[in-house]
C-alpha cells in the first residue's frame, strides 16, 4: 500500500522525498562551495544532516487520519467513493504531520549525539511547516496517544513501502523529542548560523520539490560577462567606480557615486558570477532596470527574475515569454539574478515564521541596495539590521547611493559591519550641472508662474511639488494663465493603468524635441530616468531635494551659464507630514549658508561634493538629536534587535515593512464604467467557482482560478492607492457590493466617492500611435454626493 504524500499531482512519500534529494544534489552542484564556506562543522556532515532531515521530514504523513484526508481528496478528484479505501481511526487530522515525523528517528543509530545538533535537526523537521500550535504538556500527551495507537503500527508499512535510507526507530516511540522544539533557536544560540542554513535550505528544498521547480536555475549564466560584452559592443570604457567594483568583488562595498557614474553597471560587474538580489525603492524603477538588463538591444541577459507584487502582470503585459514560470522561480528565490522591491526579500529581520528561507538564501548570495537614502527612517533601519544579519552569516552586500547619510554609516560602524570585509568608495563628478537660486518666495506667485510659462516655450521645464494636492493646484494655476501651453501632470493618485501611461509619457517627452511643462511630485525622485532643462521645486529635505536635482541636466552636457534650478522656501507643503519639519528647516539653513559663502561668484554652482558635505552634516546623530527622524530610526532598530524568532507571520512582517496605511480604491466614474463588465464578470466567476467546487470538478476549478486571477489583475489596473487617514477623515469609500453582500475576492478594493479627472488621447508618435493621458487624477477635495 502506497504512503501518499501529495494529491495534485499524485505522489507517494518515496517519490516526494526523492524529489527533495534531487534538489539537494542540484544545490550542492551549483552553490555547494559557497554554502560550505559559511558552515562551522565538517562539510560532509552538513550535507549528511540535510539528507537525514529530507528522509524523515514527512514521515508523519503515514498517520492514518492524514492518509484518510488525502484519500478523500483523490476519490473526489476521480468522482468515486471506493478507489482509495479509508482506514478506521479514532483520531482527527488536527495535528500537523511535521510534529510527528521525528518520532521515527533513532538519533543514536543516526550518529547524532550532540544535543545542539539534535535540536537543530528536530526543529528543522518540526517547523518545516509553520503552524500556530503551542508545544506544551497537552500536545505531548496527545501525541503519545497517537504514537502508541497509530504510528507505532506503521513501522512495517514504512519499511516495506517507503524503503527508508536510514534506520527507523521500531520500538519505544514517544514524543520526548518535543523538548528540543519548545524554545525556538534564535540569534543568541552559538549554532544559530548553522541552524539558519539547515532550516532555511530545508524550506527551499521542500518548496521546490513540491512545486516541481528547480531550486536553482541558470547558475552558469554570468551577468558580469554579459555586461562586459555589452561594453565591448557599445565601445564603452569602464569608469573608475566600475574598476573599483571589479577589484573588490569578494568584499562588501559601500559606493557613494554621483549621478551618471554608471552605478547599475558597477553593481553588475561586482555581482559577476554570483547569485544576487538587486533592490530599488520603487516598482517602476525596478521594471525599467529589468528591461534594460533583459532586452536584446541592451545587456541581453535573459536569465533574470522580477519580484514584486505585480511583477507577473508586468512581464505578461510587456510580452515576456514564460512569465508564469519566471514569476514562480522568482518567488522561490531560484533565479540567478532577481530584481526586487525590498518588501519581498528584506522581511527576514522581523524573524517572521519561516524567515530562515530568505535568510539562508541571502547567506550565499550578493545583495545590492540602491538609493538607500530614498527610504523612510523605519525602512532604512530595517535595511541596516538586515545588512548586519547578512554580514554576520557571511553574505555579501553592496550599498549604492549618491548621498550617504552619516547616521547610517555611524550605525553600521557601531554594529561591526564596517570591518576588514567592507570597503567604501567615493566617486564624485567634478562637472557643473546645477546653477541654483534659493528664493524665499512662493512657487504659486503670479510672477513665478509667468516666468515658468515663458521658459517652457523653448525649454523642458520640470516642476516638483511635495504633495498631490499642491501639484494639482499648480497644474490648475498654469492652465488658468495659458490653456494652450503643453502642460502635463503626474502624481500617485492616477489609476494604475493611467499612471503607467503617464510614466512612459514623461520619459518620451524628456527624450523628444518637444518643449513644455511637466508637474509632478517626489514620485520622480528615485524612479524615472528623465532629463529636463530647468527645475522648479518646493523645498524638502536635502536628500529629497538633491534627488530632484538629478532630474535636471542629468548628464551634465547642458550649459549652466543661467540658473537651471529654482528652489522655493516660502511654501512648506507636506512639511510635518511627509517631511520632518526640523530637518527641512535645517536644510534651508545649510542652503542659505552655502549661497552666502558664494555671494561673489558669477554663478551659484552646487556641485556633487557640496551636496555630499551637506548631507553628511545634516544626517549625523548629533544634528538629528531630538528629531522625529532619529526617533523613528532608533525605535525601529530597538524593535528589530529585541524581536523573538517566529513571533510574527510573513504577512505581518511584510505589512510592517511596506508601512501599509492605505486603501486600494476605484474612483466612482471608473467603477461605474466597469461595474456591468469586469465587476459583474468577476461576480459570475465566483458563482461558477462555487458550483465547480460543489461538483468536485477540479479541472474546471483550475481553469476558473486562472480566469479569476487575470480578471482581478484587470480590475486592479483601475485602482489607485489613497492614504487611510484621508479616507477615514472624509468617509469617502464604499465597499463593492452586488446583490446582498460583498463580492468575494474583491473585499480589499473599495469604491472612492470622489471625482476622477483623466482623459485618454492618442497622438501620432515617433514609433506609431501613442497613448496620452491628460487630467488631474483623483480630486480628494471634490467629494461626490453619496446619494447620487
Amino acid at each position: 500500500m502506497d504512503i501518499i504524500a501529495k494529491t495534485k499531482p499524485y505522489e507517494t512519500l518515496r517519490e516526494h522525498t526523492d524529489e527533495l534529494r534531487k534538489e539537494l544534489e542540484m544545490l550542492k552542484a551549483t552553490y555547494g562551495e559557497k554554502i560550505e564556506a559559511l558552515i562551522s562543522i565538517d562539510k560532509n556532515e552538513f550535507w549528511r544532516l540535510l539528507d537525514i532531515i529530507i528522509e524523515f521530514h514527512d514521515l508523519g504523513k503515514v498517520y492514518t487520519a492524514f492518509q484518510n484526508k488525502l484519500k478523500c481528496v483523490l476519490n473526489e478528484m476521480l468522482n468515486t467513493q471506493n478507489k482509495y479505501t479509508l482506514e478506521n481511526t479514532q483520531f482527527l487530522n488536527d495535528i500537523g504531520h511535521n510534529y510527528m515525523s521525528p518520532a521515527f528517528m533513532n538519533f543514536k543509530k543516526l550518529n547524532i549525539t550532540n544535543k545542539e545538533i539534535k535540536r537543530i535537526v528536530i526543529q528543522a523537521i518540526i517547523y518545516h511547516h509553520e503552524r500556530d500550535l503551542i508545544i506544551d504538556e497537552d500536545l505531548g500527551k496527545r501525541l503519545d496517544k497517537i504514537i502508541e495507537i497509530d504510528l507505532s503500527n506503521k513501522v512495517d508499512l514504512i519499511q516495506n513501502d517507503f524503503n527508508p535510507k536510514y534506520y527507523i526507530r521500531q520500538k519505544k516511540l514517544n514524543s520526548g523529542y518535543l523538548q528540543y522544539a519548545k524554545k525556538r533557536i534564535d540569534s543568541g544560540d552559538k549554532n544559530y548560523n548553522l541552524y539558519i542554513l539547515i532550516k532555511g535550505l530545508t524550506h527551499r528544498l521542500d518548496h521546490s520539490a513540491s512545486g516541481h521547480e528547480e531550486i536553482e536555475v541558470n547558475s552558469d549564466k554570468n551577468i558580469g560577462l554579459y555586461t562586459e560584452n555589452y561594453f565591448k559592443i557599445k565601445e564603452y570604457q569602464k569608469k573608475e567606480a566600475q574598476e573599483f567594483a571589479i577589484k573588490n568583488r569578494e568584499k562588501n562595498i559601500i559606493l557613494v557615486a554621483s549621478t551618471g557614474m554608471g552605478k547599475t553597471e558597477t553593481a553588475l560587474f561586482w555581482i559577476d558570477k554570483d547569485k544576487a538580489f538587486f533592490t530599488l525603492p520603487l516598482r517602476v524603477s525596478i521594471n525599467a532596470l529589468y528591461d534594460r538588463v533583459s532586452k536584446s538591444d541592451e545587456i541581453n541577459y535573459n536569465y533574470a527574475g522580477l519580484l514584486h507584487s505585480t511583477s507577473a502582470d508586468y512581464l505578461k503585459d510587456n510580452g515576456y515569454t514564460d512569465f508564469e514560470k519566471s514569476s514562480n522561480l522568482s518567488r522561490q528565490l531560484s533565479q540567478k539574478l532577481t530584481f526586487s522591491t525590498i518588501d519581498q526579500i528584506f522581511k527576514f529581520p522581523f524573524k517572521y515564521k519561516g524567515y530562515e528561507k530568505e535568510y539562508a538564501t541571502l547567506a550565499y548570495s550578493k545583495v545590492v541596495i540602491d538609493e538607500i537614502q530614498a527610504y523612510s527612517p523605519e525602512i532604512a533601519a530595517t535595511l541596516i539590521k538586515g545588512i548586519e544579519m547578512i554580514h554576520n552569516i557571511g553574505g555579501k552586500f553592496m550599498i549604492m547611493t549618491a548621498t550617504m547619510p552619516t547616521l547610517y554609516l555611524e550605525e553600521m560602524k557601531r554594529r561591526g559591519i564596517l570591518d576588514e570585509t567592507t570597503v567604501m568608495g567615493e566617486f564624485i563628478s567634478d562637472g557643473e550641472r546645477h546653477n541654483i537660486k534659493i528664493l524665499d518666495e512662493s512657487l504659486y506667485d503670479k510672477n513665478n508662474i509667468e516666468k515658468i510659462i515663458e521658459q517652457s516655450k523653448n525649454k523642458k521645464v520640470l516642476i516638483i511639488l511635495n504633495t498631490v494636492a499642491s501639484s494639482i493646484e499648480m497644474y490648475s494655476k498654469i492652465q488658468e494663465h495659458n490653456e494652450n501651453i503643453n502642460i502635463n501632470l503626474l502624481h500617485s493618485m492616477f489609476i494604475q493603468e493611467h499612471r503607467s501611461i503617464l510614466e512612459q509619457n514623461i520619459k518620451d517627452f524628456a527624450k523628444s524635441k518637444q518643449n513644455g511643462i511637466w508637474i509632478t511630485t517626489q514620485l520622480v525622485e528615485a524612479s524615472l530616468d528623465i532629463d529636463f532643462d530647468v527645475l522648479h521645486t518646493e523645498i524638502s529635505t536635502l536628500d529629497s531635494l538633491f534627488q530632484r536635482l538629478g532630474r535636471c541636466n542629468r548628464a551634465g552636457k547642458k550649459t549652466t551659464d543661467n540658473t537651471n534650478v529654482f528652489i522655493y522656501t516660502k511654501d512648506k507643503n507636506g512639511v510635518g507630514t511627509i517631511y520632518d519639519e526640523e530637518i527641512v528647516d535645517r536644510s534651508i539653513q545649510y542652503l542659505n549658508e552655502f549661497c552666502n559663502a558664494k555671494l561673489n561668484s558669477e554663478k551659484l554652482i552646487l556641485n556633487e561634493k557640496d551636496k555630499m558635505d551637506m548631507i553628511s552634516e545634516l544626517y549625523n546623530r548629533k544634528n538629528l538629536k531630538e528629531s522625529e527622524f532619529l526617533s523613528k530610526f532608533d525605535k525601529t532598530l530597538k524593535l528589530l534587535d529585541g524581536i523573538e524568532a517566529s513571533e510574527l507571520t510573513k504577512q505581518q512582517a511584510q505589512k510592517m515593512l511596506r508601512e501599509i496605511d492605505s486603501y486600494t480604491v476605484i474612483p466612482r466614474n471608473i467603477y461605474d464604467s466597469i461595474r456591468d463588465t469586469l465587476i459583474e464578470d468577476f461576480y459570475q466567476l465566483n458563482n461558477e467557482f462555487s458550483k465547480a467546487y460543489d461538483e468536485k470538478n477540479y479541472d474546471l476549478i483550475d481553469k476558473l482560478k486562472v480566469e479569476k486571477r487575470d480578471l482581478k489583475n484587470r480590475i486592479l489596473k483601475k485602482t489607485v492607492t489613497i492614504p487611510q487617514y484621508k479616507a477615514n477623515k472624509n468617509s469617502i469609500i464604499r465597499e463593492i457590493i452586488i446583490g446582498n453582500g460583498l463580492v468575494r475576492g474583491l473585499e480589499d478594493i473599495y469604491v472612492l466617492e470622489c471625482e476622477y479627472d483623466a482623459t485618454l488621447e492618442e497622438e501620432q508618435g515617433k514609433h506609431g500611435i501613442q497613448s496620452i493621458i491628460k487630467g488631474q487624477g483623483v480630486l480628494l477635495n471634490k467629494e461626490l454626493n453619496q446619494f447620487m
Side-chain angles (χ1 to χ4, degrees), residues 447-459 461 478 482 485 515-517 536:
N447 290 339
N448 289 325
I449 290 176
E450 288 176 351
K451 176 174 63 178
I452 289 168
I453 292 172
E454 189 62 30
Q455 287 176 338
S456 72
K457 292 176 181 178
N458 55 20
K459 294 182 185 298
V461 180
I478 293 178
N482 188 335
I485 198 163
N515 293 314
I517 301 169
H536 293 262

Side-chain angles (χ1 to χ4, degrees), residues 495 498 666-675 718 756:
I495 62 173
H498 288 171
I666 306 174
R668 165 59 69 181
N669 52 327
I670 300 294
Y671 177 79
D672 289 344
S673 71
I674 65 171
R675 187 195 183 284
K718 307 293 183 182
Y756 180 75

Side-chain angles (χ1 to χ4, degrees), residues 5 31 80 152 166 247 268 304 356 386 464 490 505 528 575 588 625 651 677 724:
Y31 299 108
T80 179
S152 294
Y166 298 100
K247 179 182 175 182
L268 298 178
E356 300 91 348
I464 303 181
L490 168 63
N505 289 166
L528 296 173
V575 175
I588 295 172
K625 190 176 181 182
Q651 290 72 27
T677 53
Q724 192 178 88

Side-chain angles (χ1 to χ4, degrees), residues 83-94:
K83 168 71 174 176
Y84 294 92
T85 305
L86 306 189
E87 294 182 57
N88 291 325
T89 179
Q90 69 184 75
F91 299 111
L92 299 174
N93 184 41
D94 58 351

Side-chain angles (χ1 to χ4, degrees), residues 634-649:
D634 285 343
K635 184 178 178 181
T636 304
L637 281 171
K638 185 177 180 181
L639 166 72
L640 294 172
D641 287 340
I643 206 162
E644 292 287 335
S646 305
E647 281 185 339
L648 303 173
T649 66

